[in-house]
Amino acid sequence: METCYCVSTILVVEKANSVASASEAVASAAETAAIDDLPVYSREQVSWHANSESCWIVIDNLVYDVTEFLKQHPGGAEVLLENAGADCTEAFKDTGHSGAARQQLANYLVGRLPARKLTCSESIN
Ligand code: HEM
């Protein structure tokens, strides 16, 4: 059955998938509601911020400006600069960042990618 989801539903589902536990999901409910209001940047626009002067990254369809964080990142500036202007969702998750690290993300949130429509094969019904 073909299912059509509105933009905010997709974002809520993707946000829910990105949090690690039910309590985190509850805690992030208000945050999720605000996600729709964030500025929208295309992947191309994000790619313009790919150096130490302006370093943006994408994690779970959200855009983070980590320029100020480069010198503070416990994993070093290098790994962030390697991913500057790009989607580093997998790299971020593969590193096994702690809950504290995931909470820190909110400090650098500047926008989101355009919501995409789910294809039939992605339908959850
Ligand atoms: C805004 C984005 C990020 C934040 C807030 C962040 C935060 C942190 C924090 C707090 C730690 C210390 C360990 C922990 O608590 O998990 C850490 C470690 C680390 N991070 Fe990140 N991180 C970010 C992005 C990334 C990205 C994109 C990568 C890789 C591409 C990365 C790679 C690493 C590595 C390799 C370590 C381990 C350092 C070590 O144990 O020697 N981080 N990060």
Side-chain angles (χ1 to χ4, degrees), residues 16 20 23 38 64 69 80 87-88 90-92 97-98 100 102 106 123:
S23 59
L38 288 170
Y64 299 93
F69 184 59
L80 294 177
D87 193 320
C88 62
E90 264 186 53
F92 183 83
H97 280 96
S98 64
R102 291 197 302 275
S123 165

Side-chain angles (χ1 to χ4, degrees), residues 57 66 69 73-75 79-80 83 88 91-92 95 97-98 101 104-105:
I57 56 173
V66 293
F69 184 59
H73 182 219
V79 284
L80 294 177
N83 289 281
C88 62
F92 183 83
T95 308
H97 280 96
S98 64
Q104 276 187 44
L105 281 174

Side-chain angles (χ1 to χ4, degrees), residues 30-51:
E31 196 184 306
T32 301
I35 285 175
D36 280 357
D37 298 330
L38 288 170
V40 177
Y41 298 107
S42 66
R43 287 186 188 272
E44 194 197 342
Q45 284 174 308
V46 173
S47 77
W48 299 338
H49 303 267
N51 55 57

Side-chain angles (χ1 to χ4, degrees), residues 10-86:
I10 292 169
L11 285 165
V12 168
V13 168
E14 290 181 344
K15 182 66 190 170
N17 288 342
S18 76
V19 295
S21 69
S23 59
E24 277 185 44
V26 171
S28 71
E31 196 184 306
T32 301
I35 285 175
D36 280 357
D37 298 330
L38 288 170
V40 177
Y41 298 107
S42 66
R43 287 186 188 272
E44 194 197 342
Q45 284 174 308
V46 173
S47 77
W48 299 338
H49 303 267
N51 55 57
S52 59
E53 306 286 296
S54 185
C55 180
W56 289 14
I57 56 173
V58 172
I59 298 172
D60 282 329
N61 297 303
L62 297 178
V63 180
Y64 299 93
D65 180 349
V66 293
T67 314
E68 296 298 316
F69 184 59
L70 288 172
K71 289 189 183 130
Q72 299 161 26
H73 182 219
E78 195 58 35
V79 284
L80 294 177
L81 288 168
E82 278 167 12
N83 289 281

Side-chain angles (χ1 to χ4, degrees), residues 1-5 10 116-125:
M1 188 182 93
E2 192 170 338
T3 311
C4 187
Y5 295 99
I10 292 169
R116 58 186 178 77
K117 291 194 171 70
L118 291 184
T119 62
C120 290
S121 61
E122 287 179 297
S123 165
I124 54 175
N125 281 352

